[in-house]
Amino acid sequence: SLKKMSGDPDDAWTMAQGDMFHTEGQAAEDTAPSLSRLAQSFERGKWVCDTPGFINDEQILHLLTPEELDLVVPSGPLVPRTAVLKPAHTLFLAALGRIDYLEGLHSIFLTVFASRALPLHVCTLERADDLYARHAGKVDLLKVPMGGDERMESFPPLVPTDVTITGVDHKYSAADLVMSSAGWVSVTPDKWTTAQLRVHTPGGLGFHLRPRALLPNAVNFKGKRHNSKRFRAFYRPIAIDKIKEISRKYK
């Protein structure tokens, strides 16, 4: 039919091809959003600039061994783990971070976002220094770093920074304690009460206070409190409870 229309198959193909591309281009122009519409769509949006492989002075990843990195870098979704912390108590995030609750009227919730391979441990403030000295570098309790006393000699000591956080609501985290490379911890004091905290990171690196919690409602995603004395300060992640419930249902 192209031969009949133009008499020359090459010309006919060129003409048909041009019409096809013109039609496709016109359809794309009709459906593509304009720049002004895109700007309106993202007017209230947030942007995250990811820089994989870029090392800055506040990171600690380059201080870790490959074996330690396997534990620190999450291999799956982050499941928030919530602990209740009384005044004069301490929470350890492996040996990479330590949070002391120095002063406050009531207990606070700390919701940790970090690799599940990094253990959490709660002790009294008066025992914290001794616990770190005895267990940092060993896999029995704090796990990362690993390699014993020789490893800890080359690892920066924990350096503290003091912060004060005022509660918004007991079901809404007020702020985040960000520990570069290890994770972050959302802090939930009671409404209008203040919590004086001391945050320790290796060499003082990577810590900053995020004045508004990134996931303020995550404190509510906790299951039942552990019954055992050793883990009494912790709540089971709600996702784990649901998995066990479904498992029992189909046994």
Side-chain angles (χ1 to χ4, degrees):
S1 59
L2 291 176
K3 286 183 179 179
K4 292 178 181 178
M5 290 177 63
S6 66
D8 186 334
D10 292 332
D11 288 346
W13 168 245
T14 302
M15 180 177 66
Q17 190 181 39
D19 288 344
M20 178 180 69
F21 289 157
H22 173 75
T23 304
E24 289 180 351
Q26 187 65 44
E29 288 179 10
D30 292 341
T31 57
S34 66
L35 287 176
S36 60
R37 287 204 310 239
L38 278 173
Q40 291 173 4
S41 300
F42 290 103
E43 201 171 39
R44 299 177 181 274
K46 307 293 182 189
W47 295 90
V48 175
C49 182
D50 188 17
T51 54
F54 182 80
I55 297 176
N56 62 58
D57 294 338
E58 291 297 310
Q59 289 178 327
I60 65 166
L61 285 181
H62 61 286
L63 301 175
L64 303 176
T65 65
E67 293 79 8
E68 292 164 352
L69 284 172
D70 285 342
L71 299 176
V72 172
V73 178
S75 58
L78 292 180
V79 177
R81 292 176 283 170
T82 297
V84 59
L85 202 65
K86 299 177 182 178
H89 280 68
T90 293
L91 171 74
F92 279 98
L93 172 57
L96 301 176
R98 166 181 163 181
I99 301 171
D100 299 335
Y101 185 8
L102 302 178
E103 189 175 340
L105 293 177
H106 308 293
S107 297
I108 60 174
F109 288 125
L110 298 180
T111 303
V112 180
F113 296 85
S115 168
R116 292 278 295 173
L118 295 181
L120 304 178
H121 188 79
V122 170
C123 67
T124 60
L125 182 56
E126 63 182 3
R127 289 188 56 237
D129 287 341
D130 179 62
L131 185 143
Y132 182 83
R134 287 189 294 110
H135 294 282
K138 301 174 184 176
V139 297
D140 59 342
L141 189 67
L142 299 180
K143 195 172 284 190
V144 178
M146 58 181 69
D149 295 338
E150 184 179 349
R151 174 71 177 102
M152 296 310 297
E153 287 176 4
S154 63
F155 197 76
L158 295 182
V159 176
T161 303
D162 288 359
V163 296
T164 300
I165 297 174
T166 302
V168 178
D169 189 273
H170 71 283
K171 292 185 177 181
Y172 195 90
S173 296
D176 289 339
L177 309 174
V178 181
M179 303 176 187
S180 174
S181 307
W184 78 91
V185 181
S186 297
V187 184
T188 312
D190 282 344
K191 189 174 183 179
W192 306 128
T193 63
T194 59
Q196 295 184 20
L197 306 174
R198 180 167 292 157
V199 183
H200 307 246
T201 57
L205 299 174
F207 169 70
H208 74 268
L209 176 66
R210 187 154 49 207
R212 290 190 178 183
L214 183 64
L215 298 171
N217 294 308
V219 65
N220 300 305
F221 300 146
K222 59 183 184 296
K224 296 177 181 178
R225 198 167 175 178
H226 281 278
N227 292 323
S228 66
K229 185 177 179 180
R230 181 180 176 185
F231 299 105
R232 184 62 178 160
F234 296 97
Y235 291 82
R236 292 183 176 89
I238 197 168
I240 303 300
D241 281 349
K242 291 296 181 183
I243 291 171
K244 288 182 177 179
E245 180 182 327
I246 293 170
S247 299
R248 285 195 297 267
K249 182 177 178 181
Y250 290 100
K251 272 186 178 180

